[in-house]
Amino acid sequence: EVSGSLEERLTPAAERIADRTRNLIANAPIFLVALSAFLAVAIGGWLLTTRIGFWDRIAPNAFIADVYRAIARIVFILLGFMLSTLHQSSLGSLFLNQPHRLHPLFYSPLLPVLFFISAVALGLMMVTGESLFSSWLYERKPHTRSLQLFARIAAPVLGLYLVLRLGDLALRGELQHLWAGGFEAGLFVFEILICAVIPLVLLLIPRVRRSPVGLFVAAVLCVSGMALNRIDVGGLAMVTTVGTRYVPSWMELLTSAG
């Protein structure tokens, strides 16, 4: 009786441990992506604070320059934690319960991961584009070394995004919708070209990475394509399946513009 009672008490605990282990294994890819993003930001921050003489130029002496470097490293570490855990992957998770609404070319069980990885590339290219535009606007020399570093980081990130997105569609047998044609197929091709394929090809060319114009073109394409992806997943890719069209009101347009 004692052994039976002990077994009955231990069985629920063992089942809970097994369930949590299975959940941990199932969510391991997301944790690995988050860890990779944190390491990318932290290592990038370390490189920027140790390999670039920017801090020596803005500091009055070597001691203050070291203080600036230490503060910058802490900021990059905090940014790594924030980037790896916050809103982009959560935004993708919002659409996981919409498989009946989203077109198959745009729905994926990897949406949180895809949103997160694309946000990494989007951030790098947004900073690149803004830096180049401000340098042109104020007639200053662009920080070429830093921007080339961003380009070298963004290229493999875009490659990973392409592999995951197209590979997921292929493994789930959804690429057939691409050959069927239609509005969503054309939208998918246009989006994937400007958000990842063309920018990736440009960033893999050393001459483009050394050219401010080439970097700016790649940045504009990537940022525009990733923004289009959010618009597609949030609305355009649901038009046919839902059968209704949404037109923002003037108040919503003014709020977005503001």
mmCIF file of all heavy atoms in Angstrom, residues 151-198:
data_model
loop_
_atom_site.group_PDB
_atom_site.id
_atom_site.type_symbol
_atom_site.label_atom_id
_atom_site.label_comp_id
_atom_site.label_asym_id
_atom_site.label_seq_id
_atom_site.Cartn_x
_atom_site.Cartn_y
_atom_site.Cartn_z
ATOM 1 N N ALA A 151 26.714 45.823 -42.981
ATOM 2 C CA ALA A 151 26.369 45.099 -44.208
ATOM 3 C C ALA A 151 26.836 43.655 -44.142
ATOM 4 O O ALA A 151 26.120 42.730 -44.571
ATOM 5 C CB ALA A 151 26.981 45.805 -45.416
ATOM 6 N N ARG A 152 28.038 43.428 -43.602
ATOM 7 C CA ARG A 152 28.549 42.057 -43.490
ATOM 8 C C ARG A 152 27.722 41.230 -42.513
ATOM 9 O O ARG A 152 27.599 40.008 -42.673
ATOM 10 C CB ARG A 152 30.018 42.086 -43.077
ATOM 11 C CG ARG A 152 30.961 42.490 -44.194
ATOM 12 C CD ARG A 152 32.397 42.157 -43.842
ATOM 13 N NE ARG A 152 32.897 43.011 -42.765
ATOM 14 C CZ ARG A 152 33.534 44.156 -42.956
ATOM 15 N NH1 ARG A 152 33.739 44.592 -44.189
ATOM 16 N NH2 ARG A 152 33.959 44.868 -41.934
ATOM 17 N N ILE A 153 27.160 41.868 -41.487
ATOM 18 C CA ILE A 153 26.301 41.145 -40.546
ATOM 19 C C ILE A 153 24.928 40.891 -41.158
ATOM 20 O O ILE A 153 24.343 39.811 -40.996
ATOM 21 C CB ILE A 153 26.169 41.939 -39.225
ATOM 22 C CG1 ILE A 153 27.526 42.069 -38.541
ATOM 23 C CG2 ILE A 153 25.178 41.251 -38.290
ATOM 24 C CD1 ILE A 153 27.505 42.962 -37.315
ATOM 25 N N ALA A 154 24.402 41.898 -41.868
ATOM 26 C CA ALA A 154 23.048 41.784 -42.422
ATOM 27 C C ALA A 154 22.954 40.715 -43.499
ATOM 28 O O ALA A 154 21.906 40.064 -43.635
ATOM 29 C CB ALA A 154 22.597 43.136 -42.980
ATOM 30 N N ALA A 155 24.010 40.518 -44.265
ATOM 31 C CA ALA A 155 23.955 39.557 -45.372
ATOM 32 C C ALA A 155 23.625 38.137 -44.899
ATOM 33 O O ALA A 155 22.680 37.516 -45.410
ATOM 34 C CB ALA A 155 25.265 39.594 -46.162
ATOM 35 N N PRO A 156 24.354 37.561 -43.934
ATOM 36 C CA PRO A 156 23.980 36.209 -43.485
ATOM 37 C C PRO A 156 22.626 36.158 -42.795
ATOM 38 O O PRO A 156 21.947 35.126 -42.839
ATOM 39 C CB PRO A 156 25.118 35.823 -42.530
ATOM 40 C CG PRO A 156 25.748 37.102 -42.117
ATOM 41 C CD PRO A 156 25.599 38.025 -43.274
ATOM 42 N N VAL A 157 22.231 37.266 -42.143
ATOM 43 C CA VAL A 157 20.906 37.290 -41.518
ATOM 44 C C VAL A 157 19.817 37.183 -42.582
ATOM 45 O O VAL A 157 18.849 36.418 -42.436
ATOM 46 C CB VAL A 157 20.730 38.573 -40.679
ATOM 47 C CG1 VAL A 157 19.302 38.659 -40.140
ATOM 48 C CG2 VAL A 157 21.716 38.598 -39.522
ATOM 49 N N LEU A 158 19.970 37.936 -43.672
ATOM 50 C CA LEU A 158 19.012 37.846 -44.774
ATOM 51 C C LEU A 158 19.033 36.457 -45.411
ATOM 52 O O LEU A 158 17.989 35.923 -45.800
ATOM 53 C CB LEU A 158 19.316 38.911 -45.829
ATOM 54 C CG LEU A 158 18.998 40.355 -45.448
ATOM 55 C CD1 LEU A 158 19.516 41.315 -46.514
ATOM 56 C CD2 LEU A 158 17.494 40.535 -45.255
ATOM 57 N N GLY A 159 20.223 35.870 -45.530
ATOM 58 C CA GLY A 159 20.314 34.512 -46.066
ATOM 59 C C GLY A 159 19.582 33.508 -45.196
ATOM 60 O O GLY A 159 18.869 32.631 -45.703
ATOM 61 N N LEU A 160 19.745 33.637 -43.875
ATOM 62 C CA LEU A 160 19.036 32.749 -42.950
ATOM 63 C C LEU A 160 17.529 32.942 -43.067
ATOM 64 O O LEU A 160 16.765 31.960 -43.051
ATOM 65 C CB LEU A 160 19.494 33.034 -41.519
ATOM 66 C CG LEU A 160 18.796 32.255 -40.401
ATOM 67 C CD1 LEU A 160 19.009 30.757 -40.570
ATOM 68 C CD2 LEU A 160 19.281 32.727 -39.032
ATOM 69 N N TYR A 161 17.096 34.180 -43.197
ATOM 70 C CA TYR A 161 15.666 34.471 -43.340
ATOM 71 C C TYR A 161 15.104 33.798 -44.599
ATOM 72 O O TYR A 161 14.037 33.177 -44.558
ATOM 73 C CB TYR A 161 15.460 35.983 -43.403
ATOM 74 C CG TYR A 161 14.043 36.405 -43.688
ATOM 75 C CD1 TYR A 161 13.073 36.376 -42.682
ATOM 76 C CD2 TYR A 161 13.667 36.846 -44.951
ATOM 77 C CE1 TYR A 161 11.769 36.766 -42.937
ATOM 78 C CE2 TYR A 161 12.359 37.240 -45.216
ATOM 79 C CZ TYR A 161 11.420 37.208 -44.210
ATOM 80 O OH TYR A 161 10.130 37.595 -44.465
ATOM 81 N N LEU A 162 15.821 33.900 -45.696
ATOM 82 C CA LEU A 162 15.369 33.279 -46.943
ATOM 83 C C LEU A 162 15.293 31.760 -46.817
ATOM 84 O O LEU A 162 14.321 31.135 -47.245
ATOM 85 C CB LEU A 162 16.311 33.657 -48.083
ATOM 86 C CG LEU A 162 16.052 34.969 -48.813
ATOM 87 C CD1 LEU A 162 17.154 35.231 -49.829
ATOM 88 C CD2 LEU A 162 14.693 34.945 -49.488
ATOM 89 N N VAL A 163 16.320 31.169 -46.236
ATOM 90 C CA VAL A 163 16.357 29.708 -46.095
ATOM 91 C C VAL A 163 15.189 29.227 -45.244
ATOM 92 O O VAL A 163 14.497 28.257 -45.591
ATOM 93 C CB VAL A 163 17.701 29.269 -45.485
ATOM 94 C CG1 VAL A 163 17.643 27.791 -45.081
ATOM 95 C CG2 VAL A 163 18.831 29.489 -46.478
ATOM 96 N N LEU A 164 14.941 29.906 -44.124
ATOM 97 C CA LEU A 164 13.862 29.485 -43.236
ATOM 98 C C LEU A 164 12.497 29.676 -43.892
ATOM 99 O O LEU A 164 11.637 28.783 -43.824
ATOM 100 C CB LEU A 164 13.925 30.271 -41.928
ATOM 101 C CG LEU A 164 15.025 29.887 -40.947
ATOM 102 C CD1 LEU A 164 14.974 30.774 -39.712
ATOM 103 C CD2 LEU A 164 14.906 28.429 -40.534
ATOM 104 N N ARG A 165 12.315 30.816 -44.526
ATOM 105 C CA ARG A 165 10.987 31.099 -45.090
ATOM 106 C C ARG A 165 10.665 30.186 -46.266
ATOM 107 O O ARG A 165 9.584 29.582 -46.322
ATOM 108 C CB ARG A 165 10.896 32.562 -45.515
ATOM 109 C CG ARG A 165 9.479 32.957 -45.894
ATOM 110 C CD ARG A 165 9.299 34.431 -46.012
ATOM 111 N NE ARG A 165 7.920 34.751 -46.366
ATOM 112 C CZ ARG A 165 7.491 35.961 -46.683
ATOM 113 N NH1 ARG A 165 8.341 36.983 -46.670
ATOM 114 N NH2 ARG A 165 6.225 36.165 -46.998
ATOM 115 N N LEU A 166 11.584 30.084 -47.213
ATOM 116 C CA LEU A 166 11.331 29.231 -48.372
ATOM 117 C C LEU A 166 11.385 27.751 -47.993
ATOM 118 O O LEU A 166 10.607 26.942 -48.509
ATOM 119 C CB LEU A 166 12.349 29.539 -49.469
ATOM 120 C CG LEU A 166 12.300 30.965 -50.029
ATOM 121 C CD1 LEU A 166 13.373 31.155 -51.088
ATOM 122 C CD2 LEU A 166 10.922 31.269 -50.615
ATOM 123 N N GLY A 167 12.302 27.392 -47.101
ATOM 124 C CA GLY A 167 12.394 26.003 -46.670
ATOM 125 C C GLY A 167 11.144 25.544 -45.942
ATOM 126 O O GLY A 167 10.679 24.405 -46.139
ATOM 127 N N ASP A 168 10.585 26.417 -45.112
ATOM 128 C CA ASP A 168 9.362 26.069 -44.401
ATOM 129 C C ASP A 168 8.210 25.841 -45.382
ATOM 130 O O ASP A 168 7.452 24.869 -45.254
ATOM 131 C CB ASP A 168 8.999 27.199 -43.422
ATOM 132 C CG ASP A 168 7.629 27.018 -42.815
ATOM 133 O OD1 ASP A 168 7.432 26.058 -42.058
ATOM 134 O OD2 ASP A 168 6.738 27.843 -43.114
ATOM 135 N N LEU A 169 8.084 26.723 -46.380
ATOM 136 C CA LEU A 169 7.028 26.543 -47.378
ATOM 137 C C LEU A 169 7.209 25.245 -48.162
ATOM 138 O O LEU A 169 6.237 24.534 -48.446
ATOM 139 C CB LEU A 169 7.017 27.737 -48.339
ATOM 140 C CG LEU A 169 6.539 29.078 -47.766
ATOM 141 C CD1 LEU A 169 6.735 30.185 -48.796
ATOM 142 C CD2 LEU A 169 5.078 28.993 -47.343
ATOM 143 N N ALA A 170 8.468 24.939 -48.485
ATOM 144 C CA ALA A 170 8.737 23.719 -49.243
ATOM 145 C C ALA A 170 8.433 22.475 -48.419
ATOM 146 O O ALA A 170 7.807 21.520 -48.917
ATOM 147 C CB ALA A 170 10.191 23.711 -49.713
ATOM 148 N N LEU A 171 8.845 22.454 -47.169
ATOM 149 C CA LEU A 171 8.628 21.286 -46.323
ATOM 150 C C LEU A 171 7.152 21.046 -46.041
ATOM 151 O O LEU A 171 6.714 19.900 -45.898
ATOM 152 C CB LEU A 171 9.391 21.446 -45.004
ATOM 153 C CG LEU A 171 10.915 21.358 -45.101
ATOM 154 C CD1 LEU A 171 11.554 21.660 -43.756
ATOM 155 C CD2 LEU A 171 11.334 19.967 -45.579
ATOM 156 N N ARG A 172 6.374 22.128 -45.974
ATOM 157 C CA ARG A 172 4.943 21.981 -45.710
ATOM 158 C C ARG A 172 4.124 21.856 -47.001
ATOM 159 O O ARG A 172 2.902 21.782 -46.958
ATOM 160 C CB ARG A 172 4.434 23.171 -44.887
ATOM 161 C CG ARG A 172 4.993 23.205 -43.474
ATOM 162 C CD ARG A 172 4.345 24.267 -42.603
ATOM 163 N NE ARG A 172 4.610 25.615 -43.099
ATOM 164 C CZ ARG A 172 3.687 26.412 -43.610
ATOM 165 N NH1 ARG A 172 2.428 26.007 -43.716
ATOM 166 N NH2 ARG A 172 3.997 27.629 -44.036
ATOM 167 N N GLY A 173 4.810 21.845 -48.153
ATOM 168 C CA GLY A 173 4.127 21.656 -49.423
ATOM 169 C C GLY A 173 3.277 22.830 -49.867
ATOM 170 O O GLY A 173 2.304 22.651 -50.619
ATOM 171 N N GLU A 174 3.630 24.038 -49.428
ATOM 172 C CA GLU A 174 2.821 25.217 -49.761
ATOM 173 C C GLU A 174 3.361 25.996 -50.959
ATOM 174 O O GLU A 174 2.730 26.963 -51.390
ATOM 175 C CB GLU A 174 2.747 26.159 -48.544
ATOM 176 C CG GLU A 174 2.148 25.536 -47.298
ATOM 177 C CD GLU A 174 0.678 25.205 -47.461
ATOM 178 O OE1 GLU A 174 0.091 25.551 -48.510
ATOM 179 O OE2 GLU A 174 0.104 24.581 -46.544
ATOM 180 N N LEU A 175 4.512 25.592 -51.496
ATOM 181 C CA LEU A 175 5.045 26.314 -52.652
ATOM 182 C C LEU A 175 4.186 26.137 -53.899
ATOM 183 O O LEU A 175 4.333 26.875 -54.866
ATOM 184 C CB LEU A 175 6.481 25.842 -52.946
ATOM 185 C CG LEU A 175 7.579 26.430 -52.060
ATOM 186 C CD1 LEU A 175 8.934 25.852 -52.446
ATOM 187 C CD2 LEU A 175 7.609 27.956 -52.161
ATOM 188 N N GLN A 176 3.291 25.160 -53.874
ATOM 189 C CA GLN A 176 2.396 24.952 -55.018
ATOM 190 C C GLN A 176 1.531 26.187 -55.265
ATOM 191 O O GLN A 176 1.139 26.466 -56.410
ATOM 192 C CB GLN A 176 1.504 23.750 -54.753
ATOM 193 C CG GLN A 176 0.650 23.889 -53.488
ATOM 194 C CD GLN A 176 -0.239 22.708 -53.241
ATOM 195 O OE1 GLN A 176 -0.661 22.049 -54.183
ATOM 196 N NE2 GLN A 176 -0.541 22.433 -51.983
ATOM 197 N N HIS A 177 1.237 26.952 -54.206
ATOM 198 C CA HIS A 177 0.425 28.160 -54.364
ATOM 199 C C HIS A 177 1.180 29.235 -55.138
ATOM 200 O O HIS A 177 0.553 30.117 -55.732
ATOM 201 C CB HIS A 177 0.014 28.700 -52.997
ATOM 202 C CG HIS A 177 -0.834 27.759 -52.213
ATOM 203 N ND1 HIS A 177 -2.176 27.595 -52.451
ATOM 204 C CD2 HIS A 177 -0.519 26.903 -51.204
ATOM 205 C CE1 HIS A 177 -2.674 26.689 -51.610
ATOM 206 N NE2 HIS A 177 -1.690 26.259 -50.842
ATOM 207 N N LEU A 178 2.514 29.144 -55.124
ATOM 208 C CA LEU A 178 3.307 30.109 -55.881
ATOM 209 C C LEU A 178 3.152 29.882 -57.377
ATOM 210 O O LEU A 178 3.048 30.831 -58.156
ATOM 211 C CB LEU A 178 4.781 29.980 -55.468
ATOM 212 C CG LEU A 178 5.755 30.986 -56.059
ATOM 213 C CD1 LEU A 178 5.384 32.405 -55.667
ATOM 214 C CD2 LEU A 178 7.175 30.679 -55.600
ATOM 215 N N TRP A 179 3.112 28.600 -57.777
ATOM 216 C CA TRP A 179 2.978 28.292 -59.207
ATOM 217 C C TRP A 179 1.549 28.510 -59.689
ATOM 218 O O TRP A 179 1.312 28.644 -60.895
ATOM 219 C CB TRP A 179 3.393 26.848 -59.476
ATOM 220 C CG TRP A 179 4.583 26.377 -58.709
ATOM 221 C CD1 TRP A 179 4.677 25.225 -57.974
ATOM 222 C CD2 TRP A 179 5.845 27.029 -58.566
ATOM 223 N NE1 TRP A 179 5.905 25.137 -57.380
ATOM 224 C CE2 TRP A 179 6.649 26.223 -57.721
ATOM 225 C CE3 TRP A 179 6.379 28.226 -59.043
ATOM 226 C CZ2 TRP A 179 7.946 26.567 -57.362
ATOM 227 C CZ3 TRP A 179 7.676 28.587 -58.676
ATOM 228 C CH2 TRP A 179 8.432 27.760 -57.859
ATOM 229 N N ALA A 180 0.594 28.563 -58.765
ATOM 230 C CA ALA A 180 -0.804 28.748 -59.168
ATOM 231 C C ALA A 180 -1.090 30.170 -59.631
ATOM 232 O O ALA A 180 -2.105 30.410 -60.294
ATOM 233 C CB ALA A 180 -1.732 28.382 -58.003
ATOM 234 N N GLY A 181 -0.207 31.101 -59.289
ATOM 235 C CA GLY A 181 -0.408 32.486 -59.699
ATOM 236 C C GLY A 181 -1.443 33.181 -58.839
ATOM 237 O O GLY A 181 -1.858 32.691 -57.789
ATOM 238 N N GLY A 182 -1.871 34.339 -59.285
ATOM 239 C CA GLY A 182 -2.853 35.102 -58.525
ATOM 240 C C GLY A 182 -2.221 36.284 -57.803
ATOM 241 O O GLY A 182 -1.002 36.498 -57.833
ATOM 242 N N PHE A 183 -3.083 37.060 -57.141
ATOM 243 C CA PHE A 183 -2.640 38.277 -56.464
ATOM 244 C C PHE A 183 -1.612 37.976 -55.379
ATOM 245 O O PHE A 183 -0.558 38.615 -55.293
ATOM 246 C CB PHE A 183 -3.852 38.996 -55.859
ATOM 247 C CG PHE A 183 -3.494 40.120 -54.939
ATOM 248 C CD1 PHE A 183 -2.980 41.317 -55.439
ATOM 249 C CD2 PHE A 183 -3.659 39.989 -53.570
ATOM 250 C CE1 PHE A 183 -2.641 42.363 -54.575
ATOM 251 C CE2 PHE A 183 -3.323 41.019 -52.704
ATOM 252 C CZ PHE A 183 -2.812 42.217 -53.219
ATOM 253 N N GLU A 184 -1.896 36.988 -54.533
ATOM 254 C CA GLU A 184 -1.006 36.695 -53.410
ATOM 255 C C GLU A 184 0.344 36.154 -53.884
ATOM 256 O O GLU A 184 1.380 36.458 -53.288
ATOM 257 C CB GLU A 184 -1.658 35.688 -52.458
ATOM 258 C CG GLU A 184 -2.778 36.244 -51.616
ATOM 259 C CD GLU A 184 -4.094 36.299 -52.364
ATOM 260 O OE1 GLU A 184 -4.124 35.821 -53.528
ATOM 261 O OE2 GLU A 184 -5.085 36.816 -51.807
ATOM 262 N N ALA A 185 0.345 35.339 -54.946
ATOM 263 C CA ALA A 185 1.600 34.821 -55.475
ATOM 264 C C ALA A 185 2.480 35.953 -55.993
ATOM 265 O O ALA A 185 3.680 35.996 -55.729
ATOM 266 C CB ALA A 185 1.333 33.806 -56.584
ATOM 267 N N GLY A 186 1.888 36.876 -56.743
ATOM 268 C CA GLY A 186 2.647 38.025 -57.223
ATOM 269 C C GLY A 186 3.134 38.896 -56.097
ATOM 270 O O GLY A 186 4.269 39.400 -56.112
ATOM 271 N N LEU A 187 2.287 39.072 -55.071
ATOM 272 C CA LEU A 187 2.676 39.867 -53.912
ATOM 273 C C LEU A 187 3.836 39.216 -53.171
ATOM 274 O O LEU A 187 4.782 39.890 -52.741
ATOM 275 C CB LEU A 187 1.470 40.009 -52.977
ATOM 276 C CG LEU A 187 1.609 40.950 -51.780
ATOM 277 C CD1 LEU A 187 1.811 42.383 -52.244
ATOM 278 C CD2 LEU A 187 0.370 40.853 -50.891
ATOM 279 N N PHE A 188 3.793 37.887 -53.049
ATOM 280 C CA PHE A 188 4.860 37.153 -52.368
ATOM 281 C C PHE A 188 6.183 37.300 -53.116
ATOM 282 O O PHE A 188 7.225 37.568 -52.494
ATOM 283 C CB PHE A 188 4.478 35.679 -52.259
ATOM 284 C CG PHE A 188 5.548 34.815 -51.659
ATOM 285 C CD1 PHE A 188 5.682 34.702 -50.291
ATOM 286 C CD2 PHE A 188 6.433 34.110 -52.472
ATOM 287 C CE1 PHE A 188 6.669 33.916 -49.728
ATOM 288 C CE2 PHE A 188 7.418 33.319 -51.930
ATOM 289 C CZ PHE A 188 7.538 33.223 -50.551
ATOM 290 N N VAL A 189 6.147 37.131 -54.428
ATOM 291 C CA VAL A 189 7.374 37.246 -55.223
ATOM 292 C C VAL A 189 7.957 38.650 -55.116
ATOM 293 O O VAL A 189 9.169 38.833 -54.900
ATOM 294 C CB VAL A 189 7.103 36.883 -56.694
ATOM 295 C CG1 VAL A 189 8.315 37.195 -57.568
ATOM 296 C CG2 VAL A 189 6.739 35.412 -56.822
ATOM 297 N N PHE A 190 7.109 39.659 -55.243
ATOM 298 C CA PHE A 190 7.575 41.043 -55.158
ATOM 299 C C PHE A 190 8.176 41.326 -53.789
ATOM 300 O O PHE A 190 9.252 41.929 -53.668
ATOM 301 C CB PHE A 190 6.413 41.999 -55.428
ATOM 302 C CG PHE A 190 6.781 43.452 -55.325
ATOM 303 C CD1 PHE A 190 7.599 44.043 -56.279
ATOM 304 C CD2 PHE A 190 6.307 44.226 -54.277
ATOM 305 C CE1 PHE A 190 7.950 45.384 -56.180
ATOM 306 C CE2 PHE A 190 6.645 45.559 -54.171
ATOM 307 C CZ PHE A 190 7.477 46.140 -55.121
ATOM 308 N N GLU A 191 7.502 40.879 -52.740
ATOM 309 C CA GLU A 191 7.983 41.120 -51.376
ATOM 310 C C GLU A 191 9.324 40.445 -51.123
ATOM 311 O O GLU A 191 10.256 41.065 -50.598
ATOM 312 C CB GLU A 191 6.946 40.627 -50.374
ATOM 313 C CG GLU A 191 7.404 40.723 -48.916
ATOM 314 C CD GLU A 191 6.637 39.799 -48.001
ATOM 315 O OE1 GLU A 191 5.397 39.848 -48.017
ATOM 316 O OE2 GLU A 191 7.280 39.023 -47.274
ATOM 317 N N ILE A 192 9.433 39.161 -51.482
ATOM 318 C CA ILE A 192 10.645 38.411 -51.175
ATOM 319 C C ILE A 192 11.837 38.935 -51.979
ATOM 320 O O ILE A 192 12.987 38.886 -51.523
ATOM 321 C CB ILE A 192 10.416 36.903 -51.431
ATOM 322 C CG1 ILE A 192 11.325 36.052 -50.523
ATOM 323 C CG2 ILE A 192 10.661 36.536 -52.871
ATOM 324 C CD1 ILE A 192 10.885 35.992 -49.114
ATOM 325 N N LEU A 193 11.558 39.473 -53.167
ATOM 326 C CA LEU A 193 12.637 40.037 -53.982
ATOM 327 C C LEU A 193 13.211 41.291 -53.348
ATOM 328 O O LEU A 193 14.432 41.446 -53.224
ATOM 329 C CB LEU A 193 12.149 40.329 -55.400
ATOM 330 C CG LEU A 193 12.010 39.146 -56.344
ATOM 331 C CD1 LEU A 193 11.397 39.588 -57.669
ATOM 332 C CD2 LEU A 193 13.362 38.476 -56.590
ATOM 333 N N ILE A 194 12.337 42.220 -52.947
ATOM 334 C CA ILE A 194 12.850 43.502 -52.463
ATOM 335 C C ILE A 194 13.268 43.455 -50.999
ATOM 336 O O ILE A 194 14.102 44.250 -50.562
ATOM 337 C CB ILE A 194 11.837 44.647 -52.683
ATOM 338 C CG1 ILE A 194 10.580 44.441 -51.844
ATOM 339 C CG2 ILE A 194 11.490 44.776 -54.143
ATOM 340 C CD1 ILE A 194 9.659 45.645 -51.874
ATOM 341 N N CYS A 195 12.710 42.528 -50.221
ATOM 342 C CA CYS A 195 13.071 42.502 -48.802
ATOM 343 C C CYS A 195 14.317 41.680 -48.536
ATOM 344 O O CYS A 195 15.031 41.937 -47.555
ATOM 345 C CB CYS A 195 11.912 41.992 -47.949
ATOM 346 S SG CYS A 195 11.705 40.200 -47.910
ATOM 347 N N ALA A 196 14.611 40.689 -49.373
ATOM 348 C CA ALA A 196 15.720 39.789 -49.043
ATOM 349 C C ALA A 196 16.619 39.438 -50.226
ATOM 350 O O ALA A 196 17.844 39.557 -50.129
ATOM 351 C CB ALA A 196 15.169 38.500 -48.425
ATOM 352 N N VAL A 197 16.039 39.011 -51.349
ATOM 353 C CA VAL A 197 16.864 38.476 -52.432
ATOM 354 C C VAL A 197 17.791 39.549 -53.009
ATOM 355 O O VAL A 197 19.020 39.376 -53.057
ATOM 356 C CB VAL A 197 15.980 37.871 -53.541
ATOM 357 C CG1 VAL A 197 16.850 37.430 -54.721
ATOM 358 C CG2 VAL A 197 15.181 36.687 -53.004
ATOM 359 N N ILE A 198 17.218 40.659 -53.474
ATOM 360 C CA ILE A 198 18.048 41.704 -54.089
ATOM 361 C C ILE A 198 18.998 42.336 -53.079
ATOM 362 O O ILE A 198 20.197 42.495 -53.373
ATOM 363 C CB ILE A 198 17.148 42.768 -54.765
ATOM 364 C CG1 ILE A 198 16.320 42.126 -55.880
ATOM 365 C CG2 ILE A 198 18.000 43.903 -55.322
ATOM 366 C CD1 ILE A 198 15.352 43.085 -56.551
#
